[in-house]
């Protein structure tokens, strides 16, 4: 009976054992698979945080991006220098023509502008003579000008100049009775003088009723005309010349009615495509070489853009794997600081620089063949992209501990500095508005909000202090006393207190970074995960090159000159 029972129980026991063994085997396989995934993820993370040289030592991966960035720095800098020299010729031609026009059309111009206007007149005779002088000089332009300029058509495709005057609609002045009646509506009257009219007897148009000015109700007289010119100095640089259209305006401003008429000269230069341009020699070949060089720069930047974009996409996929694994294993989310470790800011900087270089190079090529003439936009794009390219060099210097202190200090102090500047900015704005409203009528550095801000910023840096104090007009004792209290309090507050605190914030961050470099940085979840070893054999590999370069918190003790960052 007992044997029968045992015989009956035996299959039951074997079935339970088989189920238990199968369950243990399944759990073991699942655990083994989980360990494999964890080790695979850890190795991928370790490899991601290596620098280019260590990636090459670990897996013999050629650092294409590093070599491409070095080549790009040379190419972009060379391109910028060439464009900068060309742009200097453009700016110099515009400025020199403006000065020449002032000497040609402004009677009695001394060569130096008076404040923001060119010159001024103080009596009616000088006002009439200045107006007639500008008109006569325009008529005699071909006989007196030294430049390659000629007459240009206006909006109506006519050659000549336009004279307009603004005045109050009605008015009557009785000085004896000390009364003045003005109808505040403004009228504008214009007269067009072409070359045919100017070629006649000058007394005909000078004695017209239009030039009979009633100065007590006159607001301004505006003379406008167009001139065309060709910049031939670019040929010496083996470039195609530019054709310019100068929109010139002479304004006699009498709005203040203070007995002083201010004369403004404004010249707006626009570059247009030259028609019928025929230049023989080496200029055409040089243009082709420059276009080929710009095209090569575009190809280099496009390759850099693709590689950096690919790296960011792979980093985002790696972050997604890490976040999923961390949530499954530890049942909690990764902190934001660790998540941002996967976003390489240097790659973002390179991508922005590449985009600006590509767009700027395309504009430069269009300028080179004279299809467009927007030098300013092209200069901004190429200049900013070159700035970002050279700033990106800090990334490679940051692999060394002595150079990396700057980057780490900036990263650590930036949030505190921004919060501090937000608070200090409120005080700065208060002083700006106060100085503008109180000292504006008595000091030329406080006449506008932007000039007040610039003046105060100069004072913070210790520049031009005595001149700021000395130029306060002493017409009002109360304002003079207020100016002293205002300036002394601002300088004392910002130089001795706010600026010192600003420097202290940065110094504190620098001291913190130095201590961390000596004693070790605080470990985050990501770094703790990279530090873990699943076996004794893996732990023995921790001192190898593969594990010694994960981040700035992990470095060999034998290499104090190397700090490893992403």
């Amino acid at each position: 009976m007992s044997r029968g029972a045992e015989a009956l129980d035996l299959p039951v026991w074997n079935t339970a054992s088989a189920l238990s063994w199968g369950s243990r085997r399944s759990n073991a396989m699942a655990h083994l698979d989980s360990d494999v995934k964890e080790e695979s993820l850890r190795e991928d993370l370790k490899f991601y945080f290596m620098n280019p040289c260590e990636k090459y030592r670990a897996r013999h991966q050629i650092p294409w991006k590093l070599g491409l960035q070095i080549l790009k720095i040379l190419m972009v800098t060379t391109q910028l220098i060439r464009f900068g020299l060309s742009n200097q010729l453009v700016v110099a031609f515009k400025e020199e023509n403006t000065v020449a026009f002032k000497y040609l059309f402004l009677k009695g111009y001394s060569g130096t502008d008076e404040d923001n206007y060119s010159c001024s007149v103080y009596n009616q005779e000088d006002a009439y003579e200045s107006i007639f002088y500008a008109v006569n000089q325009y008529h005699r332009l071909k006989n007196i000008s030294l430049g390659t300029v000629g007459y240009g058509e206006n909006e109506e495709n006519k050659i000549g100049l336009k004279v307009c005057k603004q005045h109050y609609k009605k008015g009557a002045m009785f000085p004896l009775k000390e009364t003045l009646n003005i109808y505040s509506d403004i009228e504008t009257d214009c007269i067009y003088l072409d070359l045919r009219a100017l070629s006649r007897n000058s007394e005909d148009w000078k004695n017209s009723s239009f030039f009979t000015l009633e100065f007590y109700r006159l607001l301004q007289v505006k003379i406008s005309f167009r001139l065309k010119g060709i910049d031939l100095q670019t040929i010496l640089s083996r470039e195609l010349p530019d054709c310019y259209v100068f929109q010139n305006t002479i304004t006699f401003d009498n709005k203040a009615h203070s007995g002083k008429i201010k004369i403004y000269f404004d010249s707006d230069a626009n570059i247009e495509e030259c028609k019928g341009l025929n230049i023989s020699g080496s200029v055409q070949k040089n243009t082709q070489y420059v276009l080929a060089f710009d095209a090569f720069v575009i190809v280099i930047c496009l390759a850099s853009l693709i590689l950096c974009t690919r790296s960011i996409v792979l980093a985002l996929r790696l972050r997604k794997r890490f976040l999923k694994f961390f949530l499954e294993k530890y049942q909690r989310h990764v902190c934001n600081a660790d998540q941002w470790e996967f976003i390489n800011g240097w790659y973002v900087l390179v991508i922005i620089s590449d985009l600006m270089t590509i767009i700027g190079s395309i504009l430069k090529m269009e300028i080179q063949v004279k299809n467009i003439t927007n030098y300013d936009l092209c200069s901004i794009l190429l200049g900013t992209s070159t700035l970002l390219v050279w700033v990106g060099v800090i990334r490679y210097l940051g692999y060394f501990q002595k150079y990396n202190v700057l980057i780490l200090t900036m990263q650590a102090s930036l949030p505190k500095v921004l919060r501090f500047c937000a608070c200090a900015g409120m005080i700065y704005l208060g002083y700006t508005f106060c100085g503008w409203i109180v000292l504006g009528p008595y000091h030329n550095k406080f006449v506008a909000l932007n000039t007040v801000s610039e003046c105060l910023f100069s004072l913070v840096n210790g520049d031009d202090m005595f001149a700021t104090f000395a130029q306060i007009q002493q017409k009002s004792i109360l304002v003079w006393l207020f100016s002293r209290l205002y300036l002394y309090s601002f300088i004392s507050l910002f130089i001795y207190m706010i600026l010192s605190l600003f420097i202290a914030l940065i110094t504190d961050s620098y001291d913190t970074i130095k201590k961390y470099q000596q004693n070790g940085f605080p470990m985050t979840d990501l770094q703790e995960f990279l530090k873990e070893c699943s076996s004794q054999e893996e732990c023995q590999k921790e001192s190898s090159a593969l594990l010694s370069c994960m981040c700035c918190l992990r470095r060999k003790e034998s290499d104090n000159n190397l700090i490893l960052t992403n």
Side-chain angles (χ1 to χ4, degrees), residues 222-236:
K222 184 177 292 186
I223 304 174
S224 57
F225 54 93
R226 285 187 178 182
L227 299 176
K228 288 186 176 181
I230 302 177
D231 184 9
L232 297 180
Q233 63 179 334
T234 57
I235 297 179
L236 299 177

Side-chain angles (χ1 to χ4, degrees), residues 316-340:
L316 293 177
R317 293 178 180 175
L318 185 61
R319 184 180 73 165
K320 185 178 180 181
R321 286 176 54 194
F322 178 69
L323 296 179
K324 182 179 179 181
F325 168 81
F326 202 85
L327 184 62
E328 292 176 353
K329 182 174 182 179
Y330 300 103
Q331 286 77 43
R332 62 189 179 90
H333 295 282
V334 179
C335 64
N336 292 330
D338 281 345
Q339 294 187 36
W340 281 105

Side-chain angles (χ1 to χ4, degrees), residues 349-392:
L349 188 72
V350 171
I351 289 175
I352 296 174
S353 173
D354 289 336
L355 289 174
M356 299 182 74
T357 303
I358 292 173
I359 298 174
S361 298
I362 294 174
L363 291 177
K364 181 179 179 295
M365 296 174 69
E366 292 294 320
I367 292 174
Q368 196 72 32
V369 297
K370 307 306 177 184
N371 289 336
I372 62 175
T373 57
N374 198 336
Y375 277 85
D376 293 336
L377 178 59
C378 185
S379 300
I380 292 173
L381 291 174
L382 293 182
T384 306
S385 64
T386 307
L387 168 65
L388 298 180
V389 165
W390 280 99
V391 169

Side-chain angles (χ1 to χ4, degrees), residues 1 59 70 142 154-155 248 295 303 328 331 547:
M1 187 72 178
R59 298 184 184 178
I70 296 175
K142 290 185 177 181
N154 60 7
E155 296 82 357
N248 299 317
E328 292 176 353
Q331 286 77 43
L547 301 180

